[in-house]
Amino acid sequence: MDVEAPKELLEPLQLPRRILTGPGPSNCSQRVLQALRQQVLGHMHPEVFQLMDEIKAGLRYAFQTANKFTLAISASGHAGMEASIGNVLERGENILIVKAGLWGERAADIAGRLGIHVDFLETEPGVAFTPDTLEEAIKKHRPKAVFVVHSESSTGLKQPLEGIGNVVHKYGGLLIVDTVASLGAEPFYADAWGIDVVYTGSQKVLGAPAGITPISFSPEAVKKIQSRRSPVPVYYWDMNLLGKYWNCFEGQGPRIYHHTVSATLVYGLREALAQLVEEGLAASWTRHASVTEKFHRGLLRRGYEFFVKEPSHRLRTVSAIMLPRDVEASRVIRYAMDRYNVEISGGLGPSAGKVIRIGLMGVNATPGHVDLVLRALDEAVKFAKCQLKSNL
Amino acid sequence: MDVEAPKELLEPLQLPRRILTGPGPSNCSQRVLQALRQQVLGHMHPEVFQLMDEIKAGLRYAFQTANKFTLAISASGHAGMEASIGNVLERGENILIVKAGLWGERAADIAGRLGIHVDFLETEPGVAFTPDTLEEAIKKHRPKAVFVVHSESSTGLKQPLEGIGNVVHKYGGLLIVDTVASLGAEPFYADAWGIDVVYTGSQKVLGAPAGITPISFSPEAVKKIQSRRSPVPVYYWDMNLLGKYWNCFEGQGPRIYHHTVSATLVYGLREALAQLVEEGLAASWTRHASVTEKFHRGLLRRGYEFFVKEPSHRLRTVSAIMLPRDVEASRVIRYAMDRYNVEISGGLGPSAGKVIRIGLMGVNATPGHVDLVLRALDEAVKFAKCQLKSNL
C-alpha cells in the first residue's frame, strides 16, 4: 500500500450526549432514531416508493398545500434554496431578494452564481418588511421571482407572510419562501398564502436527521419550470427529472430512476412526519407557542433584551437575545455545553458577536427544556461574570 | 386546517428484509446500522469535526492518495459527478468524456447543463479503451479534462486505468475518474495512477448508507479550481467553501460553516471506513476477487455469457450476464425477490433489456452469498421457463 491504514479508525466510535437547543439541528426522537437503524433498501424498491408517497402526503399536510409537486431533495437545506432559485429562474432573469439576515445574502450568492440578476429589498436586521414596501420594490424591479425568509434564524425574526403572495402575483412574479427554521412550529399555509415555492429543513422542528430537504412547487411554479428555454443547470435537483422519480406529474407512468435516495433518511423523515401527524399540526404550533412564551417570560423576567424588538415578530423556534455588555458569549456557550450538555449558539451574519441564539424545536420544545436552558444560562452568565472579575 | 392529516402516516413503519445483491445500494453491516441510530450532533461540534477528520483519513487510505483535499459531499453519488465537473471546469471550457455506458452519458448531460463543451470517445459498450485510442482523441480535442468511469456498473466493465493519467497530463488536462461501483473492491491507486479527481459511492462496496459521497482532488485540480475566472456555479458543492468546512486548506484557520452535514451519515461512513481499515484494503480487494471468481465460475458452469467478453475487464463487484433468449428478465427478477428476498437487477442504458445484473459488494461479498444468489437464479430461471411453456 502506498498509503497506510489510519490508526485513528481503529478506535471505537464514541459520541457525547448533547441537548441540541441551538438554532439547529435539533434532537431526533427515539422513534426516529430507531427507524434510522433499519437495514437499507434500494432506491427503486416498491416499499421505498410507498414511503416516498407517505412523505409527500405528510409534507403536503405540513406545508398546508395541495401541490402534487411536493417531495424531498437528497441534500441539506441549502440545496432547497439552490433548487428553488435554480429551477424557477434562468440565466439573465431577475430575482428580488429580501435581505433581512444571513439567508437573504446566501440566496443572493446562489442566484448570482447562476447568472441571475439580483435586486435587494434590504430591511434593518431583526425588522420585518410590510407588503407596501415590498410592492414598491416590485414595481421598481419587476422581478420574475421574490425570495423571502419566513424564519430568519440568524436574528430570530418571523416575517409575516399573509398578503405577500397577492402582491407578488399582482406583478406576475413567483414567491419563494424559506421556512427552514419554522415549519411545524409557526402557522403556515402555503396555498392560502399564495406561495409558489417553499422548502424547509428536516433537522429542525420536524426532528428528522439532516440531509433530506422537503420542498413544494405550486402549479404556476411547475409551469414556469416546464417552459424554460434552457435546461436547469444542475441535474441533481432538476425538478423535471426529480419529479418523475418522486411521481409528481399527473399520469406520468412508471417512476424513472434519477439518483440513489438514501433509504436511511427516507425512514427518518417518514417517522418524523408520522409523529407530526399523530400530534396534529395545530397542536404542534400551540406547543411551540406556549413553550416559547414560557421561555421568553423567563428571559424578560431576567432583564434580557431580544434582537427582534417587535414581540409578535419573534420566532417561536429560535430566539436571539443580547447578553449583558460585560459578558462574553463564548464563555457562556462553553459553560452551558461543558456543565449541562446544553447547546447555546452565538450570532450569525448580522447578529454575529451581538447575541446568543437558543432554539426550542421538535422534541426539545417542552417546558422541561425551558427550565433546563434557563438554569444553564443563569449559571453560565454568573460564571462568565465571575471570570471577568477575577481577570480584572 | 386546509389540508387534513394523511391517515397513511398513522400506520407503523414496516420494512421487508432484502438481500441487496443488485448493482447497489448494498446492505449495511450491523455495526454501521448501530451507528446510524445514535443521537444526532451539531454540524459545528468538535466531535463531528473529529469524525470528519477520521473520514478524511479513511478515504485517503481507500483512494490511496495523499491529497489533503479529500472529503465527502452531503448528497448521493451523482453529486460527485456534478461536483467534479462543475469545480474543475468553467463555462466554455471543454471535456472529453469516455462514453462506454450510462455513466458517460450522464456526465455529458451534466457538463452540457453547465455550458461546458463535450467531446466523446465512444467505445463499444462492454469494451475497454486503450491509452492509444485515448491519446488520439486527446490530440484531436485538446480537452481541459477527461472523464473516465472505472466501474461501468451498467455493463459490468472495469476500465484499466494504469497509464491513462500520463496520457491526459501529457497534453495538460486533468483526469476525473468515477469509482462509484468499485472503490474498496478493485485495486485502485489515485496518486500512483495520476488521477486528479476521484469520487465513489458510499452505498456500494464501502457499505455506508447512500447520501454522502467521498471525493478527492489532487493539488493540480485544486490549483485549477482556485484559478477559476468565474465562481463555481453551485454553492452546495463549491470546493472553495466546502474545503474550508472540511479543513482541506493548508493553514486555513478555523473551519467555516458551509451547510449542515448529516451527523447520521457521518457516523455511518465513519464506521464503514473503520471496518475497511480493520479488514485491510488489500484483504478487501482479495475477498471481492475470490468471491467473484467463485461466482463467475458458477455462472460459466451453467453456460451463462457475460456482457463483457474480456474476462480481465469484468468487474469484481457488478456482473452483467445474458439470460437464455427465451427467459424474460422481469420474471427472474421478481421470482428471486419474492422467494429469496434476493435482489437481481435488469440492465441499464446500453444493457437495458439485454442482461441481468448482480452485485456482490461489501458485507454481501461472501461465498455464502454466491451460493444463495446462484440458487435463487437457478430456480428463478427454471420457473420463468416453466411459465413460458405453460403460456404456449
Side-chain angles (χ1 to χ4, degrees):
Chain A
M1 291 293 120
D2 298 349
V3 178
E4 290 304 320
K7 295 213 171 24
E8 56 268 44
L9 280 163
L10 296 172
E11 298 296 321
L13 179 70
Q14 278 183 321
L15 300 170
R17 293 277 304 163
R18 295 263 187 267
I19 298 148
L20 302 181
T21 45
S26 187
N27 291 101
C28 294
S29 68
Q30 286 305 312
R31 177 170 167 185
V32 166
L33 294 174
Q34 189 51 39
L36 299 179
R37 88 161 313 292
Q38 302 309 306
Q39 184 55 269
V40 298
L41 286 170
H43 49 292
M44 297 297 281
H45 288 185
E47 297 84 2
V48 170
F49 288 159
Q50 189 190 320
L51 295 178
M52 290 162 72
D53 282 343
E54 290 171 10
I55 285 174
K56 285 167 68 177
L59 291 178
R60 278 195 285 259
Y61 176 58
F63 285 129
Q64 286 292 295
T65 181
N67 291 342
K68 202 171 156 54
F69 215 108
T70 301
L71 52 86
I73 299 173
S74 297
S76 299
H78 271 99
M81 188 183 275
E82 223 155 8
S84 303
I85 297 172
N87 272 275
V88 301
L89 294 177
E90 298 190 61
R91 179 171 282 277
E93 291 187 329
N94 64 336
I95 188 169
L96 177 67
I97 290 175
V98 180
K99 194 164 106 181
L102 182 70
W103 305 120
E105 281 176 46
R106 188 56 49 79
D109 176 350
I110 282 169
R113 290 164 184 261
L114 296 172
I116 294 159
H117 181 78
V118 176
D119 294 300
F120 288 110
L121 167 58
E122 214 154 332
T123 76
E124 198 183 323
V127 178
F129 67 87
T130 63
D132 287 349
T133 53
L134 180 66
E135 185 158 5
E136 266 176 61
I138 291 177
K139 272 188 189 164
K140 186 170 161 198
H141 301 296
R142 299 285 169 158
K144 294 276 187 193
V146 174
F147 177 89
V148 175
V149 177
H150 184 221
S151 41
E152 183 56 60
S153 62
S154 65
T155 62
L157 176 72
K158 169 172 60 183
Q159 171 62 50
L161 292 172
E162 278 182 90
I164 302 297
N166 286 343
V167 174
V168 175
H169 295 157
K170 190 171 155 188
Y171 299 91
L174 295 171
L175 176 57
I176 304 171
V177 175
D178 175 317
T179 65
V180 167
S182 56
L183 195 83
E186 297 283 354
F188 183 84
Y189 300 91
D191 287 0
W193 292 351
I195 290 161
D196 295 293
V197 190
V198 55
Y199 59 92
T200 190
S202 57
Q203 77 281 13
K204 309 250 178 174
V205 179
L206 298 181
I212 183 163
T213 292
I215 194 165
S216 183
F217 293 85
S218 72
E220 280 307 304
V222 174
K223 210 181 289 173
K224 177 80 165 70
I225 296 170
Q226 291 188 314
S227 63
R228 290 176 65 99
R229 287 155 294 127
S230 63
V232 175
V234 178
Y235 168 91
Y236 195 64
W237 45 68
D238 179 346
M239 291 301 150
N240 295 301
L241 304 175
L242 203 49
K244 283 182 194 149
Y245 179 46
W246 278 84
N247 197 27
C248 294
F249 293 104
E250 210 67 65
Q252 67 165 56
R255 292 167 197 254
I256 297 170
Y257 164 59
H258 172 265
H259 74 287
T260 302
V261 81
S262 184
T264 303
L265 299 181
V266 165
Y267 303 160
L269 181 54
R270 192 273 181 195
E271 287 297 88
L273 289 168
Q275 291 192 291
L276 181 67
V277 166
E278 282 183 9
E279 178 176 19
L281 189 53
S284 178
W285 292 347
T286 308
R287 173 167 60 89
H288 284 83
S290 71
V291 162
T292 297
E293 204 187 303
K294 175 179 160 78
F295 180 49
H296 286 190
R297 264 202 320 271
L299 290 169
L300 289 169
R301 215 165 35 234
R302 286 163 174 80
Y304 286 106
E305 278 179 44
F306 290 87
F307 191 85
V308 174
K309 298 304 165 211
E310 169 55 44
S312 69
H313 293 169
R314 288 174 197 151
L315 278 169
R316 51 176 86 155
T317 50
V318 179
S319 304
I321 56 173
M322 257 81 85
L323 286 175
R325 224 173 314 171
D326 55 351
V327 173
E328 231 179 90
S330 61
R331 284 189 206 280
V332 172
I333 290 166
R334 203 172 326 123
Y335 185 95
M337 185 59 96
D338 289 351
R339 292 296 175 92
Y340 282 90
N341 287 321
V342 160
E343 181 169 44
I344 294 176
S345 295
L348 188 68
S351 70
K354 294 182 189 154
V355 303
I356 55 169
R357 294 181 302 151
I358 292 162
L360 295 165
M361 297 182 275
V363 294
N364 292 345
T366 74
H369 282 84
V370 173
D371 294 336
L372 175 66
V373 168
L374 286 173
R375 197 158 66 242
L377 181 63
D378 287 346
E379 261 196 42
V381 169
K382 211 163 111 187
F383 168 80
K385 282 188 176 166
C386 281
Q387 268 211 332
L388 184 77
K389 276 191 202 143
S390 70
N391 284 350
L392 290 181
Chain B
M1 291 292 121
D2 298 348
V3 177
E4 292 304 321
K7 294 208 171 27
E8 56 268 42
L9 279 163
L10 297 172
E11 299 295 321
L13 179 69
Q14 278 182 322
L15 300 170
R17 294 276 304 162
R18 296 263 186 266
I19 298 149
L20 302 181
T21 44
S26 188
N27 291 102
C28 295
S29 69
Q30 287 305 312
R31 177 170 166 187
V32 166
L33 294 175
Q34 189 52 39
L36 299 179
R37 87 160 314 293
Q38 301 309 306
Q39 185 55 269
V40 298
L41 287 170
H43 49 291
M44 297 297 282
H45 289 185
E47 298 85 0
V48 170
F49 289 159
Q50 190 191 319
L51 295 179
M52 289 162 74
D53 282 343
E54 290 171 10
I55 285 174
K56 286 166 65 176
L59 291 179
R60 279 194 284 261
Y61 176 58
F63 285 129
Q64 286 293 295
T65 180
N67 291 342
K68 203 172 154 56
F69 216 108
T70 300
L71 52 85
I73 300 173
S74 297
S76 301
H78 272 98
M81 187 183 277
E82 229 160 0
S84 304
I85 297 171
N87 272 275
V88 300
L89 294 177
E90 299 191 60
R91 180 170 281 277
E93 290 186 331
N94 63 337
I95 187 170
L96 177 67
I97 290 175
V98 180
K99 195 163 107 182
L102 182 71
W103 307 119
E105 282 176 46
R106 187 57 49 78
D109 176 351
I110 282 168
R113 289 164 185 262
L114 297 172
I116 293 159
H117 182 77
V118 176
D119 293 300
F120 288 110
L121 167 58
E122 214 154 333
T123 76
E124 199 183 324
V127 178
F129 68 86
T130 64
D132 288 347
T133 53
L134 181 66
E135 184 157 8
E136 265 176 63
I138 291 176
K139 273 188 189 163
K140 186 169 160 198
H141 301 296
R142 298 286 169 158
K144 294 275 186 192
V146 174
F147 177 88
V148 175
V149 177
H150 184 221
S151 42
E152 182 57 62
S153 62
S154 64
T155 62
L157 176 73
K158 169 172 61 183
Q159 172 61 50
L161 292 172
E162 278 181 273
I164 301 297
N166 287 344
V167 175
V168 174
H169 296 156
K170 190 171 155 189
Y171 299 91
L174 296 171
L175 176 57
I176 305 172
V177 175
D178 175 317
T179 66
V180 167
S182 55
L183 195 84
E186 298 283 354
F188 183 84
Y189 300 91
D191 287 359
W193 291 352
I195 291 161
D196 295 292
V197 190
V198 56
Y199 60 92
T200 189
S202 56
Q203 78 280 12
K204 309 250 179 178
V205 179
L206 298 181
I212 183 162
T213 293
I215 194 165
S216 182
F217 294 83
S218 72
E220 279 307 304
V222 174
K223 209 181 290 172
K224 177 78 166 68
I225 296 170
Q226 292 188 314
S227 65
R228 290 176 64 100
R229 288 155 294 128
S230 62
V232 175
V234 178
Y235 168 91
Y236 196 63
W237 44 69
D238 179 346
M239 290 300 149
N240 295 301
L241 305 175
L242 203 49
K244 283 181 193 150
Y245 179 46
W246 278 83
N247 197 28
C248 294
F249 293 103
E250 211 68 66
Q252 67 164 57
R255 293 168 197 251
I256 297 170
Y257 164 57
H258 172 264
H259 75 286
T260 303
V261 81
S262 185
T264 303
L265 299 181
V266 165
Y267 303 160
L269 181 55
R270 191 273 180 197
E271 287 298 85
L273 289 168
Q275 291 192 291
L276 180 68
V277 166
E278 283 184 8
E279 179 176 17
L281 189 52
S284 178
W285 293 346
T286 308
R287 174 167 59 88
H288 284 83
S290 71
V291 161
T292 297
E293 204 187 303
K294 175 179 159 77
F295 181 48
H296 286 190
R297 263 202 320 272
L299 290 170
L300 290 168
R301 213 164 36 233
R302 286 164 174 79
Y304 286 105
E305 280 178 40
F306 290 87
F307 191 85
V308 174
K309 299 303 166 213
E310 170 54 46
S312 70
H313 293 170
R314 288 175 197 150
L315 279 169
R316 52 177 85 156
T317 50
V318 178
S319 303
I321 55 171
M322 256 81 85
L323 286 176
R325 225 174 312 171
D326 55 350
V327 173
E328 232 179 90
S330 62
R331 283 188 207 280
V332 172
I333 290 167
R334 203 172 326 123
Y335 185 95
M337 185 58 96
D338 288 351
R339 293 296 175 90
Y340 282 90
N341 287 321
V342 160
E343 181 167 45
I344 294 177
S345 294
L348 188 69
S351 70
K354 294 181 190 153
V355 303
I356 55 169
R357 295 181 301 152
I358 293 163
L360 294 165
M361 297 182 274
V363 293
N364 292 345
T366 73
H369 282 84
V370 172
D371 294 336
L372 175 66
V373 168
L374 286 174
R375 197 159 65 241
L377 181 62
D378 287 345
E379 260 196 41
V381 169
K382 209 162 111 188
F383 167 78
K385 281 188 177 167
C386 281
Q387 268 211 330
L388 184 77
K389 277 192 202 142
S390 70
N391 282 351
L392 290 181

